[in-house]
Amino acid sequence: MADPIPNKDDPNKDHLKETPKPYVADHMPNRFELFLLGEGERKVTVTPDTRIPSSAIFVFQKEDHTLGNMLRSRLLSSPHVLFSAYKVPHPLIASFELRVQTDGEITPTQAVVQASKDIVNDLSVLGRRFTEEWELFKAAKGGQGQ
């Protein structure tokens, strides 16, 4: 038998109250846990993939899609890298897995290290160029009397 329709005039209105829904932020880790490594926690761990020759799986802790996509993209531009992809196991956990397969001339670790160095160089060039353009913008705006 179905429950009767609740009556607003019922003196026992407790059954009309809504139960509070959990707030999503209650389940999220503290912000500092997203970027500070815990004691004994390593930034990167490497596991050779025994099923595929010249391949490895890298697990990056306290990182997200930003670094994962930059590394994947840079690795795929290397002529020695045959495959590169990443995945984030869970959206609330700041880590990702990067799978890399090379042609055997270099190891997957060497490929990731070189890609990381290339990204750092690109970002330093970007920072320099941005600073130069910002200084030019400020000088031009200052010349207009503003």
Side-chain angles (χ1 to χ4, degrees):
M1 182 177 218
D3 290 336
I5 298 173
N7 183 354
K8 291 181 182 177
D9 298 327
D10 188 359
N12 300 325
K13 294 182 186 180
D14 290 341
H15 63 279
L16 297 177
K17 293 181 182 175
E18 289 187 32
T19 58
K21 295 184 171 101
Y23 183 61
V24 175
D26 292 344
H27 303 293
M28 292 179 62
N30 292 325
R31 285 188 186 263
F32 69 88
E33 291 177 5
L34 297 175
F35 57 88
L36 291 179
L37 291 173
E39 190 172 329
E41 190 175 22
R42 297 184 59 150
K43 187 69 165 180
V44 182
T45 55
V46 183
T47 308
D49 190 351
T50 57
R51 299 174 296 163
I52 303 169
S54 298
S55 67
I57 301 168
F58 300 83
V59 177
F60 288 78
Q61 297 298 328
K62 311 300 184 188
E63 296 293 345
D64 60 6
H65 287 283
T66 306
L67 182 61
N69 195 37
M70 284 194 297
L71 280 171
R72 178 202 59 83
S73 176
R74 178 58 70 160
L75 284 163
L76 289 174
S77 69
S78 170
H80 298 293
V81 174
L82 302 175
F83 178 81
S84 175
Y86 79 97
K87 70 176 182 177
V88 176
H90 193 280
L92 293 180
I93 299 173
S95 72
F96 69 89
E97 297 175 11
L98 178 71
R99 185 179 299 263
V100 179
Q101 181 184 8
T102 62
D103 61 5
E105 288 188 38
I106 63 173
T107 66
T109 302
Q110 290 170 325
V112 170
V113 168
Q114 186 58 50
S116 300
K117 288 178 181 178
D118 292 345
I119 290 169
V120 169
N121 287 336
D122 288 349
L123 292 175
S124 66
V125 169
L126 177 67
R128 258 193 326 272
R129 287 185 181 168
F130 179 82
T131 302
E132 290 169 3
E133 291 296 323
W134 179 249
E135 293 301 324
L136 288 172
F137 173 78
K138 287 191 324 188
K141 193 164 182 128
Q144 296 176 357
Q146 292 183 8

